[in-house]
Amino acid sequence: MFVRTPLQAKLFPCDDKYNERELVDLGKSWAQILKDKVLPFLGTLELEFANFYHQTMGRPIKYISLLIVAHIFKEMYDWTDEELLESVRFDKRFEYAFDLPYEEITLCQKTLHNFRTLMQDHKMARTIFDRATAFIVKTFNIDTNQQRLDSTHIISNMARLSRLGLFVRVIENFLVKLKKLDPNAYDNLPARFTDRYKKRRGYFADARSKKTKHRLGQAADDMYYLIDRFIDHKEISSLKVARQLERVFNEHCTVGKVKDNSSITVEVNDSETTTHTAEQIVEGTTSDFLSAHVIVKDPKDMPSGTLQNPSDEDVTCGHKGPGYEATFTETCTAKNPFQVITDVQVDTSNISDQRKTVDVVNRLDSNNLKPGVLYTDGGFTSGENIVDCADKGVDLQGNLVGVDKSPEKLKLADFEFDQDGVTVTACPDGKKPVAQKQENARRIKSKSQQSFLVHFDLETCKRCALRDRCPARLQKKKAVIRFSLAQRSSSMRRREQQTKAFKERNNIRAGIESINAEMKKSQGLDRLSVRGQPKVEQTVIFKALGCNFKRMVKYVRTLPKYDPVHQNNGNLAVIPANC
């Protein structure tokens, strides 16, 4: 049954439990800030959860505000559930802030788990973050006109496996389930499965470098054997471990044909090898398997979206390695009392930063936090993103990566354009175009990809001293330049980023690196305790909330204390001197 957190002052408050010195110390702690301003805000946020519970039937739930605060503190201090429950139960600051007796503030692990599952199923972590961020920005008059954007690599609670280790892990997981569901089939597997996978988990993956390639082929053959053997077994083939086995095989291996019944050398242990015919090795399999030859793909041919560890199927591999990428956006206006994380996004590692920029701007716009200037690095900056962000009223400031392979050639930046950024008024030699138009596209393109054609007099271009350096193409009747808004923006940005003013202006972007360092060092962002993208995203969002809360408390503690009746029209920057 849904119950809201009581906000009305009690007739017999918990303050009677504390002596005068304790009340002074509590008034200086985060508990006073939480009690005076944050809890009233969370009280309005509780209504977002009302539809998930019955209004009159069932046991009353634990207060939503208490659960939200508990999860913020859990990620702010990188606590385990046990450490969190102990702190909530015995830390006087929680009892003082919520003004609840011991029995009402006590939580259990099952309550935390159920609440996390509810938030994950309904994506409520995002709602909490957006509402809380808007509250902080409004309360402290945070200027969001200038913001900066960056991403960092994070790893979920999984081991980083080698290719052989991955093969062995999915085989061993499959055999564990097979033993429970069909012990007879498990016992009738060829003897090599006992030597490689049954005696000691992980043994077959623990190979010296010179034997790794050979064992990789053997493990690939074993995967194909299991897939072929149990493909028609409905109960087994529908298991998660069976799907993972088939996925790894399809991603890493291909199947060819063996022309004859050739002998195959199989490693039995580290010091002994033996030779069998194909029939002896694959006894009990189909005729298709007998004529099959498993080929392990070259690592260069592997896509980035392959399975990295069966314990976390969402993880992919990017240029920083397997894991996820957390993208943070932060205010960076110098006059702000403190900077606030305004947006969080979690993606798999194989997603390019180029694809995130516009999504971040759209999300900030929907939350009324859209910046006027967004500072990024080269990973988020491209001609397309510059144009698309400008179309939304955002000036994307960031350098373009890459090297100009033809520095001696003239660029679009050397041409003169009208204020609309599209109309060419003169070429680098000062000649005006004779005509220009937008190219008719066969398919609908984004604004940044729309092409424009500019025509110049053919004879004039032939006689031009800059002809060898000019990008104009000479046709039968005219000289033509074709460009898109993205190409022009890229050319202009490459020219601009060479200037000293641009470099000094974009030095502000480097400040966001402190978020990555702070959250990885003190909040455990680099190695999370959860698996799966939904859980990882929810955890990262609460860590960002915890970071904002720490900054807010640090700032408020620097302000002079006033009596509650002089609280500057409800501004959180003022704290009562006593309770």
Side-chain angles (χ1 to χ4, degrees):
M1 182 176 71
F2 178 74
V3 178
R4 294 188 65 181
T5 302
L7 298 178
Q8 184 176 357
K10 295 185 178 180
L11 182 61
F12 301 102
C14 295
D15 293 6
D16 296 339
K17 296 182 179 181
Y18 314 112
N19 58 42
E20 184 177 350
R21 179 58 186 272
E22 287 177 325
L23 288 174
V24 171
D25 291 341
L26 288 169
K28 296 178 180 179
S29 70
W30 53 258
Q32 190 69 59
I33 306 171
L34 187 65
K35 181 177 184 178
D36 289 340
K37 291 299 179 181
V38 177
L39 288 184
F41 157 71
L42 291 179
T44 63
L45 188 58
E46 286 183 345
L47 297 176
E48 299 284 348
F49 292 81
N51 294 331
F52 306 142
Y53 302 94
H54 200 278
Q55 298 299 312
T56 57
M57 297 181 61
R59 181 179 178 180
I61 63 172
K62 286 291 183 179
Y63 298 124
I64 299 297
S65 295
L66 175 61
L67 293 172
I68 293 176
V69 170
H71 281 86
I72 292 176
F73 274 79
K74 170 181 167 63
E75 303 305 337
M76 184 167 64
Y77 293 113
D78 194 29
W79 284 338
T80 62
D81 280 354
E82 291 75 14
E83 292 171 330
L84 172 64
L85 294 175
E86 184 177 351
S87 296
V88 173
R89 186 180 298 121
F90 299 115
D91 193 332
K92 291 183 179 180
R93 290 174 293 184
F94 283 100
E95 183 183 58
Y96 175 80
F98 285 92
D99 198 17
L100 294 174
Y102 176 85
E103 59 274 9
E104 291 188 31
I105 203 170
T106 301
L107 302 173
C108 70
Q109 201 282 330
K110 185 63 175 177
T111 300
L112 295 178
H113 175 269
N114 290 342
F115 187 69
R116 279 196 294 266
T117 302
L118 182 146
M119 288 193 296
Q120 181 180 322
D121 293 342
H122 299 280
K123 299 182 178 180
M124 292 302 297
R126 174 68 63 181
T127 301
I128 295 172
F129 178 85
D130 292 341
R131 292 277 300 274
T133 302
F135 166 75
I136 294 174
V137 168
K138 181 179 179 180
T139 303
F140 288 96
N141 297 320
I142 302 294
D143 186 355
T144 61
N145 185 61
Q146 295 185 37
Q147 299 186 41
R148 50 196 175 196
L149 174 68
D150 194 24
S151 64
T152 186
H153 185 68
I154 58 177
I155 302 175
S156 62
N157 186 22
M158 68 166 200
R160 185 167 182 173
L161 300 176
S162 64
R163 202 176 186 190
L164 177 59
L166 176 62
F167 284 18
V168 172
R169 180 69 62 86
V170 294
I171 293 174
E172 290 177 343
N173 291 349
F174 179 85
L175 294 179
V176 169
K177 289 293 184 180
L178 178 64
K179 185 178 182 179
K180 294 180 180 179
L181 294 177
D182 195 340
N184 291 330
Y186 177 83
D187 294 335
N188 292 330
L189 289 173
R192 69 179 187 276
F193 282 91
T194 301
D195 297 331
R196 298 173 182 174
Y197 311 109
K198 296 181 182 179
K199 287 184 177 180
R200 181 165 64 89
R201 287 181 65 90
Y203 150 75
F204 199 63
D206 187 15
R208 298 178 180 178
S209 57
K210 63 181 181 180
K211 294 184 178 181
T212 299
K213 187 175 181 180
H214 181 56
R215 287 195 177 187
L216 198 63
Q218 291 177 317
D221 289 335
D222 293 338
M223 282 195 296
Y224 187 51
Y225 171 87
L226 294 174
I227 294 171
D228 181 78
R229 176 80 176 270
F230 297 101
I231 192 172
D232 295 327
H233 196 301
K234 292 184 178 180
E235 185 176 9
I236 294 177
S237 61
S238 62
L239 293 175
K240 178 180 178 180
V241 290
R243 295 195 302 270
Q244 290 178 343
L245 184 73
E246 187 173 0
R247 175 184 172 182
V248 171
F249 182 84
N250 292 333
E251 290 174 345
H252 291 261
C253 307
T254 57
V255 180
K257 294 292 183 178
V258 178
K259 295 182 179 179
D260 55 9
N261 184 22
S262 57
S263 295
I264 302 177
T265 301
V266 179
E267 180 182 357
V268 178
N269 52 48
D270 288 343
S271 59
E272 181 182 355
T273 59
T274 184
T275 301
H276 301 278
T277 63
E279 284 86 348
Q280 290 173 324
I281 291 179
V282 294
E283 180 180 357
T285 59
T286 63
S287 58
D288 290 338
F289 183 84
L290 292 176
S291 60
H293 173 56
V294 178
I295 303 172
V296 180
K297 297 178 182 178
D298 189 279
K300 297 180 181 180
D301 299 330
M302 299 299 300
S304 60
T306 56
L307 182 69
Q308 302 297 313
N309 190 310
S311 63
D312 192 342
E313 294 183 287
D314 296 332
V315 169
T316 60
C317 188
H319 69 279
K320 296 180 181 179
Y324 297 92
E325 298 296 319
T327 304
F328 298 103
T329 310
E330 177 193 44
T331 60
C332 58
T333 304
K335 69 177 183 179
N336 285 338
F338 60 94
Q339 307 304 340
V340 176
I341 300 175
T342 56
D343 186 72
V344 183
Q345 180 173 324
V346 176
D347 301 280
T348 53
S349 286
N350 63 335
I351 302 298
S352 171
D353 287 345
Q354 299 281 348
R355 297 166 55 182
K356 306 173 187 177
T357 309
V358 177
D359 292 339
V360 170
V361 171
N362 289 336
R363 203 158 43 243
L364 290 172
D365 190 16
S366 64
N367 294 328
N368 296 320
L369 298 174
K370 185 179 70 173
V373 183
L374 182 61
Y375 297 96
T376 67
D377 59 18
F380 294 90
T381 310
S382 66
E384 292 84 352
N385 288 339
I386 292 174
V387 175
D388 292 340
C389 288
D391 193 44
K392 301 177 184 298
V394 178
D395 180 13
L396 183 64
Q397 288 290 316
N399 62 296
L400 294 174
V401 297
V403 179
D404 187 0
K405 297 181 180 180
S406 303
E408 74 283 354
K409 297 289 186 179
L410 295 174
K411 315 299 179 186
L412 283 172
D414 295 310
F415 287 74
E416 295 181 12
F417 286 83
D418 200 358
Q419 293 182 354
D420 60 7
V422 175
T423 304
V424 177
T425 57
C427 72
D429 195 41
K431 302 299 189 296
K432 295 183 178 181
V434 296
Q436 50 187 313
K437 63 177 182 179
Q438 181 176 331
E439 186 177 25
N440 294 326
R442 295 182 179 179
R443 58 185 179 85
I444 299 176
K445 297 182 178 180
S446 63
K447 182 178 179 180
S448 61
Q449 294 296 329
Q450 292 176 355
S451 298
F452 298 86
L453 299 176
V454 183
H455 300 163
F456 289 90
D457 181 71
L458 180 62
E459 296 301 325
T460 302
C461 287
K462 286 181 178 180
R463 297 190 302 267
C464 182
L466 302 177
R467 176 71 210 104
D468 294 338
R469 299 170 54 200
C470 185
R473 297 178 58 184
L474 301 183
Q475 298 182 353
K476 292 182 178 180
K477 298 182 180 180
K478 54 198 172 187
V480 180
I481 289 181
R482 177 184 285 105
F483 70 93
S484 65
L485 290 179
Q487 291 173 331
R488 177 188 177 274
S489 297
S490 296
S491 180
M492 299 294 290
R493 178 57 51 85
R494 289 191 183 279
R495 184 65 55 83
E496 181 186 11
Q497 70 188 30
Q498 302 301 322
T499 63
K500 182 179 180 180
F502 178 89
K503 295 177 181 179
E504 292 178 350
R505 184 172 64 249
N506 280 267
N507 285 339
I508 194 174
R509 188 217 65 85
I512 198 172
E513 299 291 349
S514 63
I515 286 185
N516 302 336
E518 175 186 358
M519 297 182 70
K520 285 188 174 183
K521 184 176 181 180
S522 64
Q523 296 184 224
L525 181 64
D526 55 340
R527 172 72 72 168
L528 304 179
S529 59
V530 295
R531 300 169 182 166
Q533 187 170 354
K535 292 182 180 179
V536 168
E537 182 175 13
Q538 180 168 286
T539 300
V540 174
I541 287 175
F542 273 101
K543 287 187 182 295
L545 272 173
C547 186
N548 282 342
F549 183 77
K550 281 194 299 184
R551 294 179 176 185
M552 178 183 69
V553 171
K554 183 179 179 180
Y555 169 71
V556 171
R557 282 176 173 173
T558 64
L559 300 175
K561 309 298 189 297
Y562 294 93
D563 188 83
V565 298
H566 303 111
Q567 284 196 17
N568 192 22
N569 298 325
N571 194 316
L572 185 58
V574 182
I575 312 175
N578 50 60
C579 302

